[in-house]
Amino acid sequence: MSSEQTPAQTPAQSAVQSSVPESGTGTAPAAGERPRRLTYAAALAALEGIALVAAGGWILALGLAGSPDDRQQAVTGGITLLVLALLPLLAARGLWQVRRWSRGPAVITQILALPVAYNLLQAESVAIGAGIALAVVSVTALVLLVNPATTRALGITGPGRAE
């Protein structure tokens, strides 16, 4: 259709169209450039996902090749960690691509990591260091994810703030 054949839009119609995001994309209305805080949050989520893949692979390998106390429990634990790694990895990818949907899984991942960090801190072994690291990463990622610059970049508005 040429520009002569398209009907003219009123200013109100233009405003309505520009405020409605494209359906199915899951992106922010005007994503623009990714803020540094969002990049850091994506990197931390990816780091957690990679750590879960490494731990799951290690436990699975020990369960299959080593001599664990309970082979079935080791294999199940390894597979469970590998599946759980999908959540932070998908969230990291979505945050990197500035997808609105990715903030929810990223926040859930951080909230779920806090009790794990607490349990690691209760151990009397080298797991205490892992607990400290996990707690620092989780709290840092949560702070980055609720930051106003991050929520604006993702196109997330608070309750009652339709823009």
Side-chain angles (χ1 to χ4, degrees):
M1 227 179 191
S2 71
S3 62
E4 296 168 348
Q5 295 174 339
T6 57
Q9 291 184 342
T10 65
Q13 289 173 331
S14 298
V16 168
Q17 278 187 338
S18 65
S19 68
V20 177
E22 295 179 25
S23 61
T25 62
T27 60
E33 190 174 316
R34 180 178 51 249
R36 198 172 28 197
R37 290 179 178 101
L38 188 57
T39 302
Y40 295 154
L44 290 175
L47 178 68
E48 287 174 332
I50 290 167
L52 282 171
V53 167
W58 178 258
I59 292 172
L60 187 61
L62 287 178
L64 294 174
S67 56
D69 294 336
D70 185 0
R71 183 179 306 268
Q72 183 179 2
Q73 186 177 7
V75 170
T76 302
I79 291 172
T80 301
L81 287 179
L82 290 172
V83 171
L84 285 175
L86 291 175
L87 185 65
L89 290 174
L90 289 173
R93 183 172 187 255
L95 290 171
W96 185 261
Q97 295 176 344
V98 193
R99 304 282 190 222
R100 180 181 298 181
W101 60 264
S102 62
R103 183 174 173 241
V107 169
I108 289 169
T109 299
Q110 305 318 315
I111 291 171
L112 290 175
L114 290 173
V116 174
Y118 178 77
N119 283 335
L120 290 172
L121 289 170
Q122 300 304 311
E124 294 183 15
S125 66
V126 294
I128 293 174
I132 292 170
L134 182 58
V136 168
V137 168
S138 296
V139 169
T140 303
L142 276 172
V143 168
L144 291 170
L145 288 167
V146 299
N147 187 282
T150 303
T151 56
R152 264 193 313 274
L154 293 171
I156 298 171
T157 60
R161 286 189 249 156
E163 293 179 12

